Amino acid sequence: MPPLPRKNDPESIAARRAALGLDGDGDLGAYVKAAESVTGVAVIPVSVAQIRILLGEYELSEDGDVVETGRGDEEVVVPLAHTEGGLTASVQRGAKAAGLSGGIRTHVVADRITRASCFVCRDAGDALALARWIGDRVDEARAFLRDAGIPELSTYAVLREVKTHVVGPMCHVLWRFTTGDAIGPNMMTRNAYALNMAFVLPNAPVPIERALLEANMGGDKKPSYEFFESGHGKTVIAEVTLTDEAISRVLRTTPGDLEALSWAGTHGAVASGMQSVAFTPASAVAALFAATGQDLGMVGTSSMAHGTARRVEGGLHASIRFPGLEVGTVGGGTNLPTPHEWLTVLGCAGPGTVYRFAQIVAATALALEISASSAMATAGSENFFRAHFERGGIR
Amino acid sequence: MPPLPRKNDPESIAARRAALGLDGDGDLGAYVKAAESVTGVAVIPVSVAQIRILLGEYELSEDGDVVETGRGDEEVVVPLAHTEGGLTASVQRGAKAAGLSGGIRTHVVADRITRASCFVCRDAGDALALARWIGDRVDEARAFLRDAGIPELSTYAVLREVKTHVVGPMCHVLWRFTTGDAIGPNMMTRNAYALNMAFVLPNAPVPIERALLEANMGGDKKPSYEFFESGHGKTVIAEVTLTDEAISRVLRTTPGDLEALSWAGTHGAVASGMQSVAFTPASAVAALFAATGQDLGMVGTSSMAHGTARRVEGGLHASIRFPGLEVGTVGGGTNLPTPHEWLTVLGCAGPGTVYRFAQIVAATALALEISASSAMATAGSENFFRAHFERGGIR
Amino acid sequence: MPPLPRKNDPESIAARRAALGLDGDGDLGAYVKAAESVTGVAVIPVSVAQIRILLGEYELSEDGDVVETGRGDEEVVVPLAHTEGGLTASVQRGAKAAGLSGGIRTHVVADRITRASCFVCRDAGDALALARWIGDRVDEARAFLRDAGIPELSTYAVLREVKTHVVGPMCHVLWRFTTGDAIGPNMMTRNAYALNMAFVLPNAPVPIERALLEANMGGDKKPSYEFFESGHGKTVIAEVTLTDEAISRVLRTTPGDLEALSWAGTHGAVASGMQSVAFTPASAVAALFAATGQDLGMVGTSSMAHGTARRVEGGLHASIRFPGLEVGTVGGGTNLPTPHEWLTVLGCAGPGTVYRFAQIVAATALALEISASSAMATAGSENFFRAHFERGGIR
Amino acid sequence: MPPLPRKNDPESIAARRAALGLDGDGDLGAYVKAAESVTGVAVIPVSVAQIRILLGEYELSEDGDVVETGRGDEEVVVPLAHTEGGLTASVQRGAKAAGLSGGIRTHVVADRITRASCFVCRDAGDALALARWIGDRVDEARAFLRDAGIPELSTYAVLREVKTHVVGPMCHVLWRFTTGDAIGPNMMTRNAYALNMAFVLPNAPVPIERALLEANMGGDKKPSYEFFESGHGKTVIAEVTLTDEAISRVLRTTPGDLEALSWAGTHGAVASGMQSVAFTPASAVAALFAATGQDLGMVGTSSMAHGTARRVEGGLHASIRFPGLEVGTVGGGTNLPTPHEWLTVLGCAGPGTVYRFAQIVAATALALEISASSAMATAGSENFFRAHFERGGIR
């Protein structure tokens, strides 16, 4: 095949579609600014589930802390874009059990996202001197971004802290930002680049051989322990105390069986060197991300999770911690037609809604964890087999 | 909001759409078997890049080995579903450099996928006895699946080996299958369940307290070291030896700069406890998965990767190893309209094409690695900043 | 200080001791072959505990499997070289509880140790061809070692399997041996070197750029997931079902408290990215290693462990799995005076005793786990505080 | 064997020795306070190497920062307790190459050690409230320890920061201390226990179900990513720029060969899921720990290390970072006869010497890394084989 034209004008699009044997013009007007060489679309069905969530209301303080200002109790209709037969029904079953037990309670714990740069120096002595110098100038660096007057810099990406880590002659630097309702990789890139090139390089107390904008310490699209512990995006916990009755009637298992499954699954995770400990959070995260225009390359990282289960008087406490839900409700793909539609259904279209959205993702994942675990928890796991077998959908 | 109807008949769909304020009927006829409570769609733009790939031709031997039978050299047009401005252009730039250097060569190394069950016994002594018993009966277990005459069992999911791991009273069992051109979680579930309930339980030499169909050792939708080392899906390596000229003219950097970036990025990955070592494979994997109806919940696991770079005479050798690309070209979402269209463009629609598809995913990711690394490799990373800044698309 | 003489003749030793201001001649005759530049000794007090162990009797089969041939029940006196006040008493307390509960039962699961070499090839294609070539020739490689007639080769280090792992142009090769009653690093080094240089290099089907005897994949003295899962040395499990009465009377806690501690501790381990999950196995491993002339550089790897606790009818089942106890009862430091003395006390001096010794290490560690956990299990952990506070020894 | 007496009076010791068939009285007077049931000794030969180290002089500031106040240049005689033939010679060879290159330069980066407690609350909401409460009261907590007037509390263990981590209903709390010249586990235990029981429990804003003194998040004697990144003990970096001539004449290899080995070894470490990346630091750490009365149960954690190598103009820069050298020069086993002797040789007996000692450990490990790597770096690794073969000592 000869080289295809690259542009997004109607003629180039038509030429590409013709060369690939695709019918019609694809109706791509809404997408020509979303990417280069747009040629068609991918359509994924969206199903919905209803989940009772006790959502926290949160604000970001001046100092960058996430502060709870209130709490609601509502039935949220959640859009799930996927083709896995049984998945939506499973989320709904978990939601039913949670709803009967009073609903899922969610907490936004923190909000930080990083760009992990690296300065290569002559030796470790110099790298340590640079690390100390940077560590002493966080306030100055924040002021630089605010006052530099460089039009490309974003005032949404506010520098909060800096973490340095010296290995050999490398001074790794994690610039930690808040980015408002956007996920914000581009604004972070711009601001971090400006910090590297215009704040650090000209003023550094030691010679710098290389300034690398990204050198892998921050967990950008790659799961890592640093990500799992310290977060990247919104750190959220969802929890519910399932009643004995909900476990018996809806989930058709027992607290003891669920606890036994959690015990074996946690040890299986450890035995296999898993950094996350949970059953299937990625299924829920991916389905919500695909419906709402999130970056699907972040499904793996945003699905890092730490789940727990514990018998308590009258039932079972279940929870899941997401160290870094990389979500946005403005920018990126969120403005495109169908994402905007589904974010509107969620009450998450536009500014001021990102903490709400992050909590809904966590609650949806917990609903699925409850149901998927229950299907595997009974002796012999008969339920799980049947769920897949009878409702296996198009597989 | 009151409970919505759950079914996929036209009236229920219409009722759900009305309740959510969505216009029209959504034109969902193609999707009503894909999931429960289908209510609408998610549309993602698809752009294309052209990549020169020296694709291996492979067959699965009787014994379950992947055997190379030939090798081609073609320009593949790759569909990328995403909304990240600059991403498609970056893949194309990497592909151009690779093409000038002779193309990307891909290798399918292995093909196995697991269902990780667990038998909880009285104590470790019993669990060890069970592990030995199972380990001695792999041929019998394979024959059982083939000859049992249970209609629900799949003959596509062929048991190949069994790995046991005893911790405390738990005998974890990784049933390792090949599943043909399908990704095959449901067929594995059925077959593993039958092995657990009809082969192991009635015949086991020790009492079994619980048989759990899945207990987390296999890496299903959760990255783990076990997954990273032993694979889950198709194990594929893509490689290219970039020429000095391609590096200079297309990537606008040098082999030395690229090697320095790889060195700092590898140490950054180690310092942050990353199991993968690569730059941004998830962006490519997610874009191809979304375009072709793969399971998006597997983006995180399928993106586990180990990249290398090394200066050689006349250029730089670059490679990426994917331990487990969880891909299918039949079943799942691949039969839906747009996935089928894009798989057809790729020459990967239908049986006998899954190894081709897996190689294309790996090659696309390598093209992106080359370009993304190059943008960060030059002193100061000016290219990377400019790439994001000038072509930042809708962000 | 001027350069000291290096030899181990009496004059050189005396010259070194004089230069360092050390009195006397150090009485070093027994040690002059143990290391270069021997100048003095380190003396560590050894205390003893008595542990009831149901020891398995094991033999290595022709095929390299560890086969149980019988089982005993004895009170073993265990020597512990350390200076941590309270440690020996804690081992003894755990042993008492275990003894009242019927004793600790131990299992040797497997016996393999590796030398992890690496061949650097031109590219991944060549490295894959080499990996296949080696994988097809394990029997030949074993025969080569047996029949080569090279006097430096050891017939104790028997090649069992080979595991290859290709990343980029590297073909990592794990030569997996059994080494009899010795820990055997030197015999493995010799045999692996001969395999690399005399078996692989001259016959390889592709050009090899470099043959590296050790390239870090095997876990030699460095904990790794590969070590944790696949072992390195003797894989051993120790277990006991503690009775309610023993838990109450000796450990002064309850099964529920112990289970709660295990639950929190397991999740704490996961949260901190620990590959081992246990409380303090290294304290026991180090004390036994130091008393018996084991390689103290292997304390970290040999202490990798996976502990479990689970309430059962009438008590609590506790276990610990050591993937790789790197122990020997011949060679290394075991022949020196005090190690030989303590190995004799253990019934582990000389050939045929290494499986016994490995089990004793595991049982000792489990006794300590039981007691240390109990001290922390009660609400408020008062016992633990008191144990350290009142019997804190010389600290 | 009947139960042995437990005490350390001469009669009990004699009775134990008689029962075990040990000759004489063991001459144990110096050790009766070091542990319970002392019965004999373990004797390990100590050899010495001479290393040129550019040692930093450091002080701990009021705020807990380690501040460099000067730098020396001396030949340190290092005692190594081990029985591994070739090890001391290898350290000496590495030291020679480093010395010719100007010596090893060492840096103390930080000084913190933790006790990782855990409060189990009713649910995650309460655990988060507790975490915030504790986080807001670090100054109060520090003052409490200073002013409480509880005689058991240690004023050496100064609380510096608190890190909290909430998972499910668990509020993990890492109390981070400095402990002066002692390693200090007992003083930390006392102080952390007092904080838990007397500061947190009576004042907490939410009900606390359990207060566990240690729940595994801190890395006490168990390697973890948390330990690897954030440290536990003294964080130290050692580095040297080896000259081409030293590499050629002393190490008999080339910078290119060393860099190639480092590259393959780093990727081998990643491929095997190693948290440390280095060759054999544990051999050096164990040998120095055994000679100087350190806690041998900490060999594994203290050996966590991150090594780098990079060609530079005229040679090769090599470095190693130890996140947590758990060392003391007062307390523990350091006061016993032979440890005191060897610490005196090192100039590290008594207060004010712990940073010096930590640097010597790091420098010794780097000397060994240099030599061991060189032995494996040449094509075919002939040197390494010969080193083990010809000087294999008593193995």
Side-chain angles (χ1 to χ4, degrees):
Chain A
M1 174 161 306
L4 300 170
R6 298 280 163 73
K7 295 195 170 165
N8 275 349
D9 57 275
E11 296 71 32
S12 298
I13 291 174
R16 285 197 295 271
R17 291 186 63 86
L20 299 176
L22 302 169
D23 293 335
D25 67 0
D27 194 13
L28 302 175
Y31 306 110
V32 294
K33 290 187 179 163
E36 307 82 38
S37 301
V38 172
T39 308
V41 296
V43 180
I44 305 174
V46 174
S47 47
V48 296
Q50 286 174 280
I51 310 178
R52 181 179 169 194
I53 316 178
L54 285 64
L55 287 158
E57 291 151 25
Y58 292 94
E59 286 177 5
L60 189 69
S61 78
E62 281 281 301
D63 294 341
D65 294 329
V66 181
V67 179
E68 186 174 326
T69 59
R71 187 164 288 276
D73 182 351
E74 50 178 304
E75 289 279 333
V76 180
V77 178
V78 175
L80 302 165
H82 68 88
T83 59
E84 182 179 352
L87 175 58
T88 300
S90 191
V91 170
Q92 189 60 68
R93 186 172 80 132
K96 183 175 176 184
L100 285 176
S101 304
I104 292 172
R105 182 179 288 259
T106 50
H107 311 271
V108 181
V109 180
D111 182 4
R112 288 293 186 278
I113 195 159
T114 55
R115 179 59 71 188
S117 298
C118 179
F119 299 95
V120 182
C121 302
R122 189 180 46 188
D123 58 23
D126 276 9
L128 287 166
L130 180 61
R132 279 189 299 268
W133 185 89
I134 293 173
D136 288 343
R137 278 161 188 80
V138 180
D139 290 342
E140 282 180 46
R142 192 183 303 116
F144 163 82
L145 287 180
R146 196 181 52 222
D147 304 335
I150 305 176
E152 289 81 1
L153 295 187
S154 165
T155 54
Y156 290 106
V158 179
L159 181 69
R160 298 295 180 173
E161 301 99 19
V162 182
K163 176 175 171 174
T164 59
H165 187 91
V166 172
V167 179
M170 291 166 273
C171 178
H172 290 274
V173 177
L174 281 73
W175 302 110
R176 296 171 67 87
F177 295 94
T178 52
T179 54
D181 286 87
I183 173 71
N186 281 345
M187 59 175 83
M188 278 200 298
T189 294
R190 285 192 199 96
N191 287 15
Y193 181 74
L195 286 169
N196 292 349
M197 304 305 285
F199 182 78
V200 176
L201 273 185
N203 303 310
V206 294
I208 291 174
E209 291 189 11
R210 289 175 187 278
L212 303 164
L213 186 47
E214 170 65 42
N216 269 350
M217 264 207 78
D220 186 35
K221 300 195 185 179
K222 285 148 298 188
S224 70
Y225 178 73
E226 164 72 23
F227 187 113
F228 182 61
E229 195 198 41
S230 301
H232 194 257
K234 319 306 178 196
T235 304
V236 183
I237 296 178
E239 65 178 333
V240 65
T241 300
L242 297 168
T243 62
D244 286 338
E245 195 191 348
I247 293 170
S248 163
R249 279 186 38 207
V250 181
L251 303 175
R252 299 184 182 281
T253 183
T254 69
D257 287 334
L258 283 167
E259 200 177 49
L261 187 273
S262 176
W263 176 78
T266 300
H267 282 292
V270 169
S272 69
M274 206 176 273
Q275 288 178 322
S276 281
V277 175
F279 273 92
T280 189
S283 298
V285 168
L288 263 159
F289 272 36
T292 59
Q294 309 300 315
D295 187 336
L296 294 172
M298 293 174 171
V299 163
T301 39
S302 286
S303 298
M304 294 199 92
H306 192 158
T308 67
R310 187 173 67 127
R311 288 181 81 165
V312 293
E313 185 71 31
L316 183 101
H317 179 266
S319 78
I320 191 162
R321 174 184 184 268
F322 287 94
L325 287 171
E326 296 154 305
V327 290
T329 55
V330 302
T334 62
N335 299 331
L336 296 178
T338 61
H340 185 75
E341 194 172 57
W342 294 117
L343 285 169
T344 302
V345 164
L346 284 167
C348 295
T353 59
V354 74
Y355 294 141
R356 174 182 170 90
F357 183 58
Q359 292 174 81
I360 290 170
V361 176
T364 305
L366 183 57
L368 179 59
E369 291 289 288
I370 289 167
S371 177
S373 299
S374 297
M376 289 189 266
T378 43
S381 295
E382 289 190 56
N383 284 341
F384 183 71
F385 174 67
R386 287 194 187 139
H388 271 69
F389 177 56
E390 293 168 8
R391 301 188 223 111
I394 62 172
R395 260 184 191 147
Chain B
M1 178 162 301
L4 299 170
R6 297 278 163 75
K7 296 195 169 165
N8 276 349
D9 56 273
E11 294 72 32
S12 298
I13 291 174
R16 285 197 294 271
R17 290 186 64 86
L20 299 176
L22 301 169
D23 292 335
D25 67 0
D27 194 12
L28 301 176
Y31 305 110
V32 293
K33 289 187 180 163
E36 306 81 39
S37 301
V38 172
T39 307
V41 297
V43 179
I44 305 174
V46 174
S47 46
V48 297
Q50 285 174 281
I51 310 178
R52 181 178 169 195
I53 317 179
L54 285 63
L55 286 159
E57 291 151 27
Y58 291 94
E59 285 178 6
L60 189 69
S61 78
E62 280 281 300
D63 293 342
D65 293 329
V66 181
V67 179
E68 186 174 326
T69 59
R71 186 164 290 278
D73 182 350
E74 52 178 303
E75 289 279 331
V76 180
V77 178
V78 175
L80 302 165
H82 69 88
T83 58
E84 184 178 351
L87 174 58
T88 299
S90 190
V91 171
Q92 190 61 66
R93 185 172 81 132
K96 183 176 177 185
L100 285 176
S101 305
I104 292 172
R105 183 178 287 260
T106 50
H107 311 270
V108 181
V109 180
D111 182 3
R112 288 293 184 279
I113 194 159
T114 55
R115 179 59 71 188
S117 298
C118 178
F119 299 95
V120 182
C121 302
R122 191 181 43 190
D123 57 24
D126 276 10
L128 287 165
L130 180 61
R132 280 188 298 267
W133 185 89
I134 293 173
D136 288 343
R137 278 163 188 78
V138 179
D139 290 341
E140 282 180 46
R142 193 182 302 115
F144 163 83
L145 287 180
R146 196 180 52 221
D147 305 334
I150 304 177
E152 288 82 2
L153 295 188
S154 166
T155 55
Y156 289 106
V158 179
L159 182 69
R160 298 294 180 174
E161 299 100 18
V162 182
K163 175 175 173 175
T164 59
H165 187 92
V166 171
V167 180
M170 291 166 273
C171 177
H172 290 273
V173 177
L174 279 74
W175 302 110
R176 295 171 68 86
F177 295 94
T178 52
T179 53
D181 286 87
I183 173 72
N186 281 344
M187 59 174 83
M188 277 200 297
T189 294
R190 285 192 199 97
N191 286 15
Y193 181 73
L195 286 169
N196 293 350
M197 304 305 285
F199 182 78
V200 175
L201 272 186
N203 303 310
V206 294
I208 291 174
E209 289 188 14
R210 289 175 187 278
L212 303 165
L213 186 47
E214 171 66 42
N216 269 351
M217 264 207 78
D220 186 35
K221 299 194 185 178
K222 284 149 297 188
S224 71
Y225 177 76
E226 164 72 24
F227 188 113
F228 182 62
E229 195 198 40
S230 300
H232 196 255
K234 320 306 178 196
T235 305
V236 183
I237 296 177
E239 64 178 335
V240 65
T241 300
L242 297 168
T243 63
D244 285 339
E245 195 192 348
I247 292 170
S248 163
R249 279 187 36 208
V250 182
L251 302 174
R252 299 183 183 280
T253 182
T254 70
D257 286 334
L258 282 167
E259 200 178 49
L261 187 271
S262 175
W263 176 77
T266 299
H267 282 293
V270 168
S272 70
M274 208 176 272
Q275 289 178 322
S276 282
V277 174
F279 273 93
T280 188
S283 297
V285 168
L288 264 160
F289 272 36
T292 59
Q294 309 300 315
D295 188 335
L296 295 173
M298 293 174 170
V299 163
T301 39
S302 286
S303 298
M304 294 200 91
H306 192 158
T308 67
R310 187 173 67 127
R311 289 181 80 164
V312 293
E313 185 69 32
L316 184 101
H317 179 266
S319 78
I320 191 162
R321 174 184 184 268
F322 286 95
L325 288 171
E326 296 155 304
V327 291
T329 54
V330 301
T334 63
N335 300 329
L336 296 178
T338 61
H340 185 75
E341 196 172 56
W342 294 116
L343 285 169
T344 302
V345 164
L346 286 166
C348 294
T353 59
V354 73
Y355 294 141
R356 175 181 169 89
F357 182 59
Q359 292 173 82
I360 291 170
V361 176
T364 306
L366 183 58
L368 180 59
E369 291 291 286
I370 289 167
S371 177
S373 299
S374 298
M376 290 189 266
T378 42
S381 295
E382 288 190 54
N383 284 340
F384 182 72
F385 174 67
R386 287 192 188 141
H388 270 69
F389 176 56
E390 292 168 11
R391 299 188 225 111
I394 62 172
R395 262 187 189 142
Chain C
M1 178 162 301
L4 298 172
R6 297 279 163 74
K7 295 195 172 166
N8 276 349
D9 56 273
E11 295 72 30
S12 298
I13 292 174
R16 285 197 294 272
R17 290 186 64 86
L20 300 176
L22 301 170
D23 292 335
D25 67 359
D27 193 13
L28 302 176
Y31 304 110
V32 292
K33 289 185 179 164
E36 307 80 39
S37 302
V38 172
T39 307
V41 295
V43 180
I44 306 174
V46 174
S47 47
V48 296
Q50 285 174 283
I51 310 178
R52 181 178 169 196
I53 316 178
L54 286 64
L55 286 159
E57 292 151 25
Y58 292 95
E59 286 179 4
L60 190 70
S61 78
E62 281 281 301
D63 294 342
D65 293 328
V66 181
V67 179
E68 185 174 327
T69 59
R71 188 163 289 277
D73 182 350
E74 52 178 303
E75 289 279 333
V76 180
V77 178
V78 175
L80 302 165
H82 69 88
T83 57
E84 183 179 350
L87 174 59
T88 299
S90 190
V91 171
Q92 190 60 66
R93 185 172 80 132
K96 183 176 177 186
L100 284 176
S101 304
I104 291 173
R105 183 178 287 259
T106 51
H107 311 272
V108 181
V109 180
D111 182 4
R112 288 292 184 280
I113 195 160
T114 56
R115 179 59 69 189
S117 298
C118 179
F119 299 95
V120 182
C121 302
R122 189 181 46 189
D123 57 23
D126 277 9
L128 286 166
L130 180 61
R132 279 189 298 268
W133 185 89
I134 293 173
D136 288 343
R137 278 161 188 80
V138 179
D139 290 341
E140 282 179 47
R142 193 183 302 115
F144 163 82
L145 287 180
R146 196 182 51 221
D147 305 335
I150 305 176
E152 288 82 1
L153 295 189
S154 165
T155 54
Y156 289 107
V158 179
L159 182 69
R160 299 295 180 173
E161 300 100 18
V162 182
K163 176 176 173 175
T164 60
H165 187 93
V166 172
V167 179
M170 291 166 272
C171 178
H172 290 274
V173 177
L174 281 74
W175 302 110
R176 295 171 66 87
F177 296 94
T178 52
T179 53
D181 286 86
I183 174 70
N186 281 346
M187 60 174 82
M188 278 200 297
T189 293
R190 285 192 199 98
N191 286 15
Y193 181 74
L195 287 169
N196 292 350
M197 304 306 285
F199 181 78
V200 175
L201 272 185
N203 304 309
V206 294
I208 290 174
E209 290 189 11
R210 290 175 186 278
L212 303 165
L213 186 47
E214 170 66 41
N216 269 351
M217 264 207 79
D220 186 36
K221 300 195 186 177
K222 285 149 296 188
S224 70
Y225 178 75
E226 164 73 24
F227 187 113
F228 182 61
E229 196 199 38
S230 300
H232 195 257
K234 319 306 178 196
T235 305
V236 183
I237 296 178
E239 64 179 334
V240 65
T241 301
L242 297 168
T243 62
D244 285 339
E245 196 192 346
I247 292 170
S248 163
R249 279 186 37 207
V250 181
L251 303 175
R252 299 184 184 279
T253 181
T254 71
D257 286 334
L258 282 167
E259 200 177 49
L261 187 272
S262 175
W263 176 79
T266 300
H267 282 293
V270 168
S272 69
M274 207 176 271
Q275 289 178 321
S276 281
V277 175
F279 273 92
T280 189
S283 298
V285 168
L288 262 159
F289 272 36
T292 60
Q294 309 300 314
D295 187 335
L296 295 173
M298 293 175 170
V299 163
T301 40
S302 286
S303 298
M304 294 200 90
H306 192 157
T308 68
R310 188 174 65 128
R311 289 181 78 163
V312 293
E313 186 69 33
L316 184 102
H317 179 266
S319 78
I320 192 162
R321 174 185 184 267
F322 286 95
L325 288 171
E326 297 155 304
V327 290
T329 54
V330 301
T334 63
N335 299 332
L336 296 178
T338 61
H340 184 75
E341 193 171 59
W342 294 116
L343 285 169
T344 302
V345 164
L346 285 166
C348 295
T353 59
V354 74
Y355 294 140
R356 175 182 169 90
F357 182 58
Q359 292 174 81
I360 290 170
V361 175
T364 305
L366 183 57
L368 179 59
E369 290 291 285
I370 290 167
S371 177
S373 299
S374 297
M376 289 189 266
T378 42
S381 295
E382 289 191 53
N383 285 340
F384 182 71
F385 174 67
R386 287 192 187 141
H388 271 68
F389 176 56
E390 292 169 10
R391 300 187 224 112
I394 62 172
R395 264 191 188 139
Chain D
M1 176 161 304
L4 299 171
R6 297 278 163 75
K7 295 196 170 165
N8 276 349
D9 56 274
E11 295 72 31
S12 298
I13 291 174
R16 285 197 295 272
R17 291 186 63 86
L20 300 176
L22 301 170
D23 293 334
D25 68 359
D27 194 12
L28 302 176
Y31 305 110
V32 294
K33 288 185 180 164
E36 307 82 38
S37 301
V38 172
T39 307
V41 296
V43 180
I44 305 175
V46 174
S47 47
V48 296
Q50 284 174 283
I51 310 178
R52 180 178 170 196
I53 316 178
L54 285 65
L55 286 159
E57 291 151 25
Y58 291 96
E59 285 178 7
L60 189 69
S61 78
E62 280 281 301
D63 293 341
D65 294 329
V66 181
V67 180
E68 186 175 326
T69 58
R71 187 164 289 278
D73 182 349
E74 50 178 304
E75 289 280 333
V76 180
V77 178
V78 175
L80 302 165
H82 69 88
T83 59
E84 183 179 351
L87 175 59
T88 299
S90 191
V91 169
Q92 190 60 67
R93 185 173 80 132
K96 183 175 177 186
L100 285 176
S101 304
I104 292 173
R105 181 179 288 259
T106 50
H107 311 271
V108 181
V109 179
D111 181 4
R112 288 292 185 278
I113 195 160
T114 55
R115 179 59 69 188
S117 298
C118 178
F119 299 94
V120 183
C121 302
R122 190 180 46 188
D123 57 24
D126 276 9
L128 287 165
L130 180 60
R132 280 189 297 268
W133 185 89
I134 293 174
D136 289 343
R137 279 162 187 80
V138 180
D139 290 341
E140 282 180 46
R142 192 183 303 116
F144 163 82
L145 287 180
R146 195 181 52 222
D147 306 333
I150 306 177
E152 288 83 1
L153 295 188
S154 164
T155 54
Y156 289 107
V158 179
L159 182 70
R160 297 296 180 173
E161 299 99 19
V162 182
K163 176 175 173 176
T164 59
H165 187 91
V166 172
V167 180
M170 291 166 274
C171 178
H172 290 273
V173 177
L174 280 74
W175 302 111
R176 295 171 66 87
F177 295 95
T178 52
T179 53
D181 286 87
I183 174 70
N186 281 344
M187 61 174 81
M188 277 200 298
T189 294
R190 284 192 199 98
N191 286 15
Y193 181 73
L195 286 168
N196 292 349
M197 304 306 284
F199 182 77
V200 176
L201 272 185
N203 303 310
V206 293
I208 290 174
E209 289 189 13
R210 290 175 186 279
L212 303 164
L213 186 47
E214 170 65 43
N216 270 349
M217 264 206 80
D220 185 36
K221 300 195 186 177
K222 285 149 298 187
S224 70
Y225 178 75
E226 164 72 25
F227 187 114
F228 182 61
E229 195 198 41
S230 301
H232 195 257
K234 318 307 179 197
T235 305
V236 183
I237 295 178
E239 64 178 335
V240 65
T241 300
L242 296 168
T243 63
D244 285 339
E245 194 192 349
I247 292 170
S248 164
R249 279 186 36 208
V250 181
L251 303 175
R252 299 184 183 280
T253 184
T254 69
D257 286 334
L258 283 167
E259 199 177 48
L261 187 273
S262 176
W263 177 78
T266 299
H267 282 293
V270 168
S272 69
M274 206 177 273
Q275 288 178 322
S276 282
V277 174
F279 273 93
T280 189
S283 297
V285 168
L288 263 160
F289 273 35
T292 59
Q294 308 300 313
D295 187 336
L296 295 173
M298 293 174 171
V299 163
T301 39
S302 285
S303 298
M304 293 199 92
H306 192 157
T308 67
R310 188 173 67 126
R311 287 181 80 164
V312 293
E313 185 70 33
L316 183 102
H317 179 266
S319 77
I320 192 162
R321 174 185 184 267
F322 286 95
L325 288 172
E326 296 154 304
V327 290
T329 54
V330 301
T334 62
N335 299 331
L336 296 178
T338 61
H340 185 75
E341 195 171 57
W342 295 116
L343 286 169
T344 302
V345 164
L346 285 166
C348 295
T353 59
V354 74
Y355 295 141
R356 175 182 170 90
F357 182 58
Q359 292 174 82
I360 291 170
V361 175
T364 305
L366 183 57
L368 179 60
E369 291 290 285
I370 290 167
S371 176
S373 298
S374 298
M376 289 188 265
T378 42
S381 294
E382 289 190 55
N383 285 341
F384 182 71
F385 174 66
R386 287 192 187 140
H388 270 70
F389 177 56
E390 293 169 9
R391 302 188 222 110
I394 61 172
R395 261 186 191 144

